[in-house]
Amino acid sequence: MSRIPHAPVPAPPGSAGDLVRLIEMEQALATRLEATTLECTGIVAAAREEAIAAERELEARVVREVHAATDRIAAETAARIAAMEAAARDRATRYTAVSDATAATLADGLLRWLTAPPGSAP
């Protein structure tokens, strides 16, 4: 079998050539490891910054929603109070509009109904 004259001939196992190649491979791997470590550090730092920004945005959103809910509850409460006040004014107006004679007639009918024996018509 003939050898190709320009092809490199492998060094015998355990020779200085193997050691040089191993050292070069180790240095190349160390360089790649360092680059990968830096890249990972950058990815982690970016992820932390994103998490901090997301947390701040969430806190701000919660504050906005709490304020909106507080405002909505205050408006609903004010509307209920206004409705109750209006109903009370209407009752007071109806009560004061009833004449004394009508009030006496209603009171008399109510008293008869309350004191009637069960099952009887008032």
Side-chain angles (χ1 to χ4, degrees):
M1 199 185 255
S2 67
R3 293 187 162 214
I4 301 174
H6 59 276
V9 177
S15 69
D18 284 345
L19 183 57
V20 169
R21 281 198 312 253
L22 283 174
I23 291 172
E24 289 171 349
M25 283 179 27
E26 183 181 2
Q27 288 171 345
L29 287 173
T31 302
R32 287 176 62 189
L33 179 61
E34 185 179 338
T36 303
T37 301
L38 288 173
E39 182 182 355
C40 290
T41 301
I43 291 170
V44 168
R48 283 187 178 140
E49 288 175 14
E50 287 179 24
I52 290 169
E55 183 180 4
R56 286 182 183 145
E57 175 54 34
L58 178 62
E59 287 174 354
R61 192 171 114 206
V62 167
V63 168
R64 287 190 306 269
E65 289 180 11
V66 165
H67 287 304
T70 301
D71 293 346
R72 187 179 67 248
I73 290 169
E76 290 173 2
T77 301
R80 282 183 174 176
I81 290 171
M84 291 171 67
E85 288 174 344
R89 278 193 298 277
D90 289 346
R91 279 192 200 149
T93 300
R94 285 195 308 270
Y95 178 75
T96 57
V98 174
S99 67
D100 289 340
T102 303
T105 302
L106 290 171
D108 183 52
L110 180 60
L111 185 58
R112 275 187 274 136
W113 177 76
L114 289 172
T115 58
S120 66

